Amino acid sequence: MELRFLGAATTVTGSQFLLTTTRAKVLIDCGMFQGNPHETLHNRIPPDYDPAEIDALLLTHAHLDHCGLIPLVAKRGLRAPIFATAGTVELAGLVLLDSGKLQEEFARRDERRNARHAQAATEDEEAAVAEHVEEHGRPPQLVDPERAVLTQLPCAECTIELPLYTAAEAQSSLRLFKSIGYEKEIDVAPGVKATFYDAGHILGSAMIKVVASDGPGTPDRVIVFSGDIGRPATPIVRDPTVLTDADYVLMESTYGGREHDPQEESVRVLAETISLVAEAKGVLLVPSFAIGRTQEVVYELDRLVEARKIPRLRLYLDSPMASKATEIYRRYREYFDAETRALLARSDDPLDYPGAIVTNDASDSKKIKDSPRPFMIVASNGMLTGGRVLHHLKYLIDDPSATLLFVGYQGVGTLGAHLQAGAKEVQIDGQPRQVRCRVVSISGFSAHADESELLDWIGNFAKGKKRGDRGYPKRVFIVHGDPPAEAALEPKVKAIGFDTHVPTWRESVRLG
């Protein structure tokens, strides 16, 4: 039995693991690499397996870095069922269709840009030839009959990044999805069973326990894939499930070496920030992931207005995907925690900020800047790598009365990470821009467990047991983290008593 690490190895994104037995091949997640430009190149490298040979795909949740390559793998021959919770199936459909549409739009944008570059280069060439004739009385020497020696065409910057897949291909891949419930063991492939447990990360998110054998008479191996582990006592979704037994554990480490602010402190800073924006008659811009963070931010804003702890500023929800995701959230109330269900029971919808303005059309989005101040904007995407939030950032970044509020993880190398680190000048659409707006970060709204919470979660596998006991993990693999986070977390997991390993991209490990 072998486990191959095809993503989320020494990086946060690109989650994909291949479990191979003598009887089956099962993928766990099939995510897109995001953020760091050097890592996103991995998305275009052919998979390290034949998609047609996969027997099942198990999906932890609907974020793009866990599901974003499913249409590409389906296009290349995947015909196996994709198992996920019902909430994840709906959210993944929303995410993948949007991803395909965006990729098509980016390709068309590249074509338009290339046409402009080619036209400009041609005009520059003609002007240079005319200048040469005026100065020397003759045209420049030609290297070939078609082109003057003075310029190089086509423009070296002109490239078209073809879509990994289209919206139609994303739609086609959705037919492979199969909805399953939490805590119900199912047969997913010959000799392989899986059980999904609530991960407390976003709606429908799961940890997956896989029980696999190489055939009759061979021992079962129990492998737990943590997915993204949520935080205890956060709003809306339930707490992460406590698991206690496994032979091997793949454990996320996104916030290794870091601790989040307490939830109460995060809410206090949010309220204080909004009050300062109101006093300055400014604008609050919140880059937020459409699924998970946007719903939690709206929840807290609604609670703060209800408690009269903040002024009721106009709120623009400038993310069509987030609006659709919120409607999906409302359809799965059984996934909510007790507090959220109690609010809904008394007709107090915590996912609905009073008077929020939803901007579905791009033209309406562009008009927001002309609104009377003060006001707030929540827009995607969360790491400032694209989306409508960049349009708002362009006109707010050099405005001292504006505040940029980060409420989620910022990937290494992203614009969000540079701003969060205190950059005074950044590039937006290739243009240098001075940073004059206020930049605030609140870590307590993260959907990921911090280091203490991660250690508490993995520590449950050691309680009441010692090394060698049944259910005591033989090895814990540290995944879903940048190298500094993994380096910080690994020795602390080892100190609990576990054998640990930090796998590299495409590394294979035998499971004895």
Side-chain angles (χ1 to χ4, degrees), residues 7-9 11-15 31-35 39 65 383 409 480-481:
T11 186
V12 172
T13 63
S15 179
M32 188 178 286
F33 289 88
Q34 295 180 281
E39 291 177 359
D65 63 321
M383 291 191 286
Y409 174 78
H480 291 291

Side-chain angles (χ1 to χ4, degrees), residues 137-376:
R138 57 182 173 78
Q141 180 183 1
L142 300 180
V143 293
D144 62 54
E146 301 294 329
R147 183 160 300 155
V149 73
L150 298 175
T151 59
Q152 275 192 319
L153 290 177
C155 173
E157 295 180 1
C158 288
T159 58
I160 298 177
E161 191 166 283
L162 296 175
L164 292 166
Y165 50 85
T166 65
E169 288 164 340
Q171 180 68 57
S172 178
S173 73
L174 300 183
R175 75 186 191 282
L176 300 173
F177 280 76
K178 308 282 185 187
S179 297
I180 62 169
Y182 284 123
E183 302 189 22
K184 297 177 181 178
E185 186 176 68
I186 58 169
D187 293 303
V188 296
V192 181
K193 301 177 185 292
T195 309
F196 286 57
Y197 298 91
D198 199 332
H201 176 61
I202 63 170
L203 186 90
S205 61
M207 310 166 182
I208 304 175
K209 181 174 76 173
V210 173
V211 181
S213 72
D214 278 320
T218 62
D220 288 339
R221 279 83 153 187
V222 180
I223 309 116
V224 169
F225 299 84
S226 77
D228 287 349
I229 303 171
R231 303 191 64 203
T234 55
I236 306 176
V237 295
R238 295 180 299 220
D239 289 355
T241 305
V242 174
L243 300 180
T244 59
D245 297 282
D247 294 314
Y248 300 94
V249 179
L250 281 73
M251 172 191 178
E252 80 132 308
S253 59
T254 305
Y255 279 90
R258 288 177 286 178
E259 302 289 335
H260 295 318
D261 295 331
Q263 186 76 7
E264 309 78 47
E265 175 64 11
S266 298
V267 173
R268 185 195 67 77
V269 174
L270 176 63
E272 180 183 88
T273 301
I274 292 169
S275 296
L276 290 172
V277 168
E279 291 172 11
K281 298 193 182 308
V283 177
L284 177 68
L285 176 61
V286 184
S288 184
F289 297 103
I291 300 174
R293 292 294 58 71
T294 294
Q295 290 75 31
E296 187 175 345
V297 168
V298 171
Y299 176 101
E300 295 296 356
L301 292 174
D302 179 67
R303 297 295 89 198
L304 286 169
V305 167
E306 180 75 16
R308 299 186 179 181
K309 293 183 178 179
I310 60 170
R312 184 172 157 178
L313 302 188
R314 186 184 301 106
L315 172 64
Y316 291 94
L317 294 175
D318 194 24
S319 171
M321 185 194 292
S323 301
K324 294 173 184 176
T326 298
E327 291 309 309
I328 293 173
Y329 264 62
R330 290 193 175 104
R331 290 201 290 274
Y332 288 93
R333 298 184 179 193
E334 67 271 23
Y335 292 167
F336 293 171
D337 61 18
E339 181 181 359
T340 304
R341 290 199 303 272
L343 289 170
L344 290 166
R346 60 175 189 258
S347 299
D348 183 1
D349 188 346
L351 299 176
D352 186 15
Y353 180 87
I357 301 169
V358 177
T359 52
N360 289 317
D361 295 333
S363 58
D364 291 334
S365 172
K366 293 176 181 177
K367 293 175 185 175
I368 292 175
K369 68 179 186 299
D370 301 320
S371 301
R373 297 186 175 196
F375 61 87
M376 304 181 290

Side-chain angles (χ1 to χ4, degrees), residues 3 17 22 24 93 121 135 152 227 264 266 268 311 320 345 357 361 376-377 408 428 449 458 474 483 486 490:
L3 188 61
F17 312 103
T22 57
E135 183 176 349
Q152 275 192 319
E264 309 78 47
S266 298
R268 185 195 67 77
I357 301 169
D361 295 333
M376 304 181 290
I377 309 169
I428 302 179
I458 193 65
K474 299 176 183 178
E486 293 179 327
E490 186 193 16

